[in-house]
PDB file of all heavy atoms in Angstrom:
ATOM      1  N   PRO A 455       1.660  -3.016  21.123  1.00 92.00           N
ATOM      2  CA  PRO A 455       0.534  -3.098  20.182  1.00 92.00           C
ATOM      3  C   PRO A 455       0.988  -3.252  18.733  1.00 92.00           C
ATOM      4  O   PRO A 455       0.323  -3.911  17.930  1.00 92.00           O
ATOM      5  CB  PRO A 455      -0.205  -1.771  20.388  1.00 92.00           C
ATOM      6  CG  PRO A 455       0.159  -1.353  21.770  1.00 92.00           C
ATOM      7  CD  PRO A 455       1.586  -1.796  21.947  1.00 92.00           C
ATOM      8  N   ALA A 456       2.119  -2.655  18.385  1.00 94.00           N
ATOM      9  CA  ALA A 456       2.650  -2.800  17.029  1.00 94.00           C
ATOM     10  C   ALA A 456       3.113  -4.227  16.782  1.00 94.00           C
ATOM     11  O   ALA A 456       2.906  -4.796  15.702  1.00 94.00           O
ATOM     12  CB  ALA A 456       3.795  -1.823  16.804  1.00 94.00           C
ATOM     13  N   TYR A 457       3.749  -4.819  17.794  1.00 93.00           N
ATOM     14  CA  TYR A 457       4.196  -6.215  17.675  1.00 93.00           C
ATOM     15  C   TYR A 457       3.002  -7.136  17.481  1.00 93.00           C
ATOM     16  O   TYR A 457       3.017  -8.029  16.623  1.00 93.00           O
ATOM     17  CB  TYR A 457       4.976  -6.598  18.923  1.00 93.00           C
ATOM     18  CG  TYR A 457       5.578  -7.991  18.879  1.00 93.00           C
ATOM     19  CD1 TYR A 457       6.522  -8.326  17.923  1.00 93.00           C
ATOM     20  CD2 TYR A 457       5.193  -8.958  19.801  1.00 93.00           C
ATOM     21  CE1 TYR A 457       7.078  -9.601  17.880  1.00 93.00           C
ATOM     22  CE2 TYR A 457       5.740 -10.233  19.775  1.00 93.00           C
ATOM     23  CZ  TYR A 457       6.685 -10.554  18.809  1.00 93.00           C
ATOM     24  OH  TYR A 457       7.226 -11.809  18.766  1.00 93.00           O
ATOM     25  N   HIS A 458       1.948  -6.926  18.257  1.00 91.00           N
ATOM     26  CA  HIS A 458       0.736  -7.736  18.091  1.00 91.00           C
ATOM     27  C   HIS A 458       0.130  -7.551  16.700  1.00 91.00           C
ATOM     28  O   HIS A 458      -0.379  -8.498  16.099  1.00 91.00           O
ATOM     29  CB  HIS A 458      -0.294  -7.353  19.157  1.00 91.00           C
ATOM     30  CG  HIS A 458       0.060  -7.833  20.529  1.00 91.00           C
ATOM     31  ND1 HIS A 458      -0.495  -7.315  21.675  1.00 91.00           N
ATOM     32  CD2 HIS A 458       0.947  -8.781  20.950  1.00 91.00           C
ATOM     33  CE1 HIS A 458       0.004  -7.931  22.738  1.00 91.00           C
ATOM     34  NE2 HIS A 458       0.889  -8.814  22.319  1.00 91.00           N
ATOM     35  N   ASP A 459       0.186  -6.318  16.181  1.00 91.00           N
ATOM     36  CA  ASP A 459      -0.341  -6.036  14.850  1.00 91.00           C
ATOM     37  C   ASP A 459       0.424  -6.812  13.785  1.00 91.00           C
ATOM     38  O   ASP A 459      -0.165  -7.364  12.851  1.00 91.00           O
ATOM     39  CB  ASP A 459      -0.260  -4.537  14.572  1.00 91.00           C
ATOM     40  CG  ASP A 459      -0.955  -4.129  13.285  1.00 91.00           C
ATOM     41  OD1 ASP A 459      -0.298  -4.162  12.217  1.00 91.00           O
ATOM     42  OD2 ASP A 459      -2.150  -3.787  13.347  1.00 91.00           O
ATOM     43  N   VAL A 460       1.746  -6.874  13.921  1.00 92.00           N
ATOM     44  CA  VAL A 460       2.567  -7.628  12.970  1.00 92.00           C
ATOM     45  C   VAL A 460       2.215  -9.113  13.024  1.00 92.00           C
ATOM     46  O   VAL A 460       2.069  -9.770  11.979  1.00 92.00           O
ATOM     47  CB  VAL A 460       4.063  -7.419  13.255  1.00 92.00           C
ATOM     48  CG1 VAL A 460       4.908  -8.358  12.397  1.00 92.00           C
ATOM     49  CG2 VAL A 460       4.464  -5.968  12.993  1.00 92.00           C
ATOM     50  N   LEU A 461       2.072  -9.652  14.238  1.00 88.00           N
ATOM     51  CA  LEU A 461       1.730 -11.072  14.370  1.00 88.00           C
ATOM     52  C   LEU A 461       0.354 -11.364  13.772  1.00 88.00           C
ATOM     53  O   LEU A 461       0.145 -12.402  13.136  1.00 88.00           O
ATOM     54  CB  LEU A 461       1.760 -11.488  15.837  1.00 88.00           C
ATOM     55  CG  LEU A 461       3.121 -11.426  16.540  1.00 88.00           C
ATOM     56  CD1 LEU A 461       2.990 -11.931  17.967  1.00 88.00           C
ATOM     57  CD2 LEU A 461       4.166 -12.236  15.779  1.00 88.00           C
ATOM     58  N   ARG A 462      -0.574 -10.443  13.984  1.00 86.00           N
ATOM     59  CA  ARG A 462      -1.909 -10.611  13.398  1.00 86.00           C
ATOM     60  C   ARG A 462      -1.836 -10.648  11.877  1.00 86.00           C
ATOM     61  O   ARG A 462      -2.453 -11.490  11.231  1.00 86.00           O
ATOM     62  CB  ARG A 462      -2.799  -9.452  13.866  1.00 86.00           C
ATOM     63  CG  ARG A 462      -4.185  -9.422  13.217  1.00 86.00           C
ATOM     64  CD  ARG A 462      -4.913  -8.148  13.628  1.00 86.00           C
ATOM     65  NE  ARG A 462      -6.110  -7.923  12.826  1.00 86.00           N
ATOM     66  CZ  ARG A 462      -6.745  -6.762  12.756  1.00 86.00           C
ATOM     67  NH1 ARG A 462      -6.301  -5.718  13.434  1.00 86.00           N
ATOM     68  NH2 ARG A 462      -7.830  -6.638  12.003  1.00 86.00           N
ATOM     69  N   ALA A 463      -1.063  -9.730  11.300  1.00 89.00           N
ATOM     70  CA  ALA A 463      -0.919  -9.694   9.846  1.00 89.00           C
ATOM     71  C   ALA A 463      -0.237 -10.956   9.331  1.00 89.00           C
ATOM     72  O   ALA A 463      -0.597 -11.486   8.273  1.00 89.00           O
ATOM     73  CB  ALA A 463      -0.123  -8.460   9.421  1.00 89.00           C
TER      74      ALA A 463
END
Side-chain angles (χ1 to χ4, degrees):
Y457 184 62
H458 287 162
D459 188 272
V460 172
L461 295 183
R462 174 187 168 196

